[in-house]
Amino acid sequence: MAQQQGDNLRHARTGIELRPGLDGVPATKSAICDIDGEQGLLTYRGYPMEDLAVNSSFLETAYLLIWGELPTDAQLQAFEHEVQMHRRVSFRVRDMMKCFPASGHPMDALQSSAASLGLFYSRRAIDDPGYIYKAVVRLIAKIPTMVAAFQLIRKGQDPIQPRDDLAYSANFLYMLTEREPDPRAARIFDRCLMLHAEHSLNASTFSARVTASTLTDPYAVIASAVGTLAGPLHGGANEDVLAMLEAVGSPAQAGSFLDEAIAAKRKIMGFGHREYKVKDPRAVILQSLVEEMFNDFGHDDLYDVARAIEEEAMTRLGPKGIYPNVDFYSGLVYRKLGIPRDLFTPVFAIARVAGWLAHWREQLGANRIFRPSQIYSGAPPRRWTPMEKRAESPAD
Ligand code: CMC
């Protein structure tokens, strides 16, 4: 039942106002990540992102997010070892991936492969800490292998096996490019993963928590989150940013491009955020990683286009609190690393699986199934209409 009150729609029984997109509505309590969108601050379990990005590694950060504290040396070594032991995926998963169309998007391939893991591992022992640990290890270990496998399979090649002597990020780049990466490049990539690992109750994490709240298995939880991340308003924006930079072509075109896009009410990809009203702190760090990457491995002219867009956007979008977000500079790093553009979002998923799993555990710890209400705006109760009396519906 809906009740109109001025511009607001309120639920007739509870009086609660409809907030499209749940803007500003707390939907859970969480101890994992905090964002101060006015100051541009981001912490994981209380640790500032800037501190982690310099001192930590992706696997250590994943451990922190999922279990709440930084691991001891022994805990970290055990976790790294377990992840390394579970990197391989069954030949059945690889064979299934060979049946996927090579023209399909790698996010769809990843969503299907992540969901298929539920066929291999016992379901719904989710009150067993041993099962939870194994599921966490398997998902963190196997998702990069599946992303790299689809890349080779769609080129008509067989996937290559993980290398046990390589650390997490170096191994992923090796499986993807078939070359052992420069250690500096692998470290920059590892830092990118840390920056993308978690970001409170964004759309895909909310999706993960909603799915988790039904007490289904963790593979379904992660598959639902991957599907949500794929959209261009969320993780998919990183792919669109590079297309935009190429279309703009030169720094001199940045201003006119922005004027046209804003006049046509088109969104500038890689700009804007529901939480941040200043430049996303992850974009600040990513920009420094872009520069480090270019110092070590050569410049990319698209960076000049990106900087010009950011500068021109200051006066046009800045007053509305619209600044670069995490997706604006990440693609430039990935491009330099030789990662194909349509793998940028799967790479985001490789990182974000840590945050999703942290939220899965937290949801299970104090679960109540998500079941919000709605404000019905459809037809009033009416009688079934016989065929001969029906008019064509507007959709026809
Ligand atoms: N370019 C131009 N105008 C924008 C942009 C943008 N990127 N983002 C927001 N606006 C304007 C929008 O037109 C609206 O203006 P008005 O009030 O005059 O109608 C106002 O800002 C509010 O926009 P909104 O779409 O209601 O804001 P939201 O909080 O619902 O959306 C967002 C947030 C991230 C979806 C949006 O900023 C956007 O679509 N950005 C482009 C896509 C993008 O970069 N996504 C990645 C987000 S960060 C990483 C991630 O989550 O994966």
Side-chain angles (χ1 to χ4, degrees), residues 19 38 53 57-58 67 71 97 100 128 142 213 244 262 269-270 282 307 324 353 372:
R19 302 288 288 271
E38 303 293 332
S57 67
F58 172 66
W67 282 288
M97 293 172 93
F100 294 168
D128 170 2
K142 293 186 195 305
S213 79
M244 176 183 80
I262 293 167
M269 287 292 134
R282 300 167 300 171
R307 276 197 319 189
V353 73

Side-chain angles (χ1 to χ4, degrees), residues 1-2 9 374-380:
M1 288 281 283
L9 272 175
Q374 63 167 14
I375 292 178
Y376 178 66
S377 62

Side-chain angles (χ1 to χ4, degrees), residues 327-390:
D327 288 324
F328 193 60
Y329 287 110
S330 59
L332 288 167
V333 180
Y334 299 153
R335 182 171 132 110
K336 199 72 192 170
L337 287 166
I339 299 175
R341 189 179 304 174
D342 61 0
L343 289 190
F344 293 176
T345 319
V347 163
F348 193 157
I350 289 174
R352 187 54 61 84
V353 73
W356 294 330
L357 289 167
H359 283 269
W360 170 56
R361 275 201 73 225
E362 190 173 65
Q363 183 65 35
L364 294 184
N367 191 50
R368 188 165 188 218
I369 191 166
F370 279 95
R371 203 325 177 176
S373 59
Q374 63 167 14
I375 292 178
Y376 178 66
S377 62
R382 49 185 171 162
R383 293 187 69 92
W384 180 82
T385 316
M387 192 67 79
E388 63 279 11
K389 292 198 173 155
R390 292 180 206 169

Side-chain angles (χ1 to χ4, degrees), residues 20-21 23 196 199 202-204 228-229 231-238 240-241 258 261-262 265-277 280 282 316-317 320-328 345 348 352:
D23 188 354
H196 286 84
H199 209 235
N202 55 83
S204 57
T228 310
L229 184 71
L233 295 186
H234 194 6
N238 56 13
D240 293 340
V241 168
L258 285 170
I262 293 167
K265 296 200 173 303
R266 281 200 311 272
K267 295 268 181 75
I268 312 302
M269 287 292 134
F271 272 74
H273 201 279
R274 178 69 63 78
E275 295 285 324
Y276 294 117
K277 299 305 156 214
D280 184 331
R282 300 167 300 171
R316 292 164 170 89
L317 297 172
K320 288 177 79 174
I322 299 166
Y323 291 94
N325 61 47
V326 68
D327 288 324
F328 193 60
T345 319
F348 193 157
R352 187 54 61 84

